């Protein structure tokens, strides 16, 4: 599998978490892939939250809850996260 193929798989996995089409068994893997992409871009949780319009005082906690799967982001927030990370949203 080439590096481009791996990138395509990663982006497709993100589609499914933001598109809410995640099977329970795959959820943690997809969250890990999302974290890899966020970390690869060098954007901290709190900074990403502020970039998408969250209050600075709660952005890190809210993003953490989305990343750990405690809460599911509303579709509008998921769209903003996808846009901030340059990922398409299905």
């Amino acid at each position: 599998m080439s590096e481009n193929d791996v990138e395509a798989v990663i982006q497709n996995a993100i589609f499914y978490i933001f598109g809410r089409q995640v099977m329970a068994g795959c959820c943690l893997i997809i969250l890990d892939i999302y974290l890899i992409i966020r970390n690869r871009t060098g954007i901290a949780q709190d900074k990403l939250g502020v970039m998408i319009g969250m209050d600075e005082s709660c952005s890190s906690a809210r993003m953490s809850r989305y990343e750990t799967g405690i809460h599911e982001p509303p579709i509008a927030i998921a769209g903003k996260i996808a846009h901030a990370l340059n990922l398409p949203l299905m």
Side-chain angles (χ1 to χ4, degrees):
M1 184 178 277
S2 73
E3 192 170 317
N4 288 340
D5 292 334
V6 172
E7 290 296 324
V9 168
I10 290 171
Q11 287 187 353
N12 286 333
I14 295 300
F15 295 155
Y16 288 109
I17 194 167
F18 289 150
R20 300 169 188 235
Q21 297 175 7
V22 177
M23 294 172 48
C26 300
C27 189
L28 293 178
I29 294 169
I30 292 170
L31 287 170
D32 287 342
I33 293 169
Y34 159 75
L35 288 172
I36 290 167
I37 292 173
R38 183 179 62 76
N39 289 327
R40 189 182 290 176
T41 63
I43 302 172
Q45 274 182 348
D46 58 336
K47 300 297 180 206
L48 179 58
V50 171
M51 285 173 62
I52 65 168
M54 291 181 183
D55 185 83
E56 192 172 353
S57 66
C58 66
S59 63
S60 183
R62 284 182 61 192
M63 291 304 297
S64 175
R65 289 182 185 115
Y66 295 151
E67 290 182 6
T68 58
I70 294 171
H71 295 289
E72 183 178 306
I75 194 68
I77 296 294
K80 290 178 182 181
I81 293 169
H83 180 72
L85 295 175
N86 294 318
L87 299 168
L89 178 66
M90 288 178 94

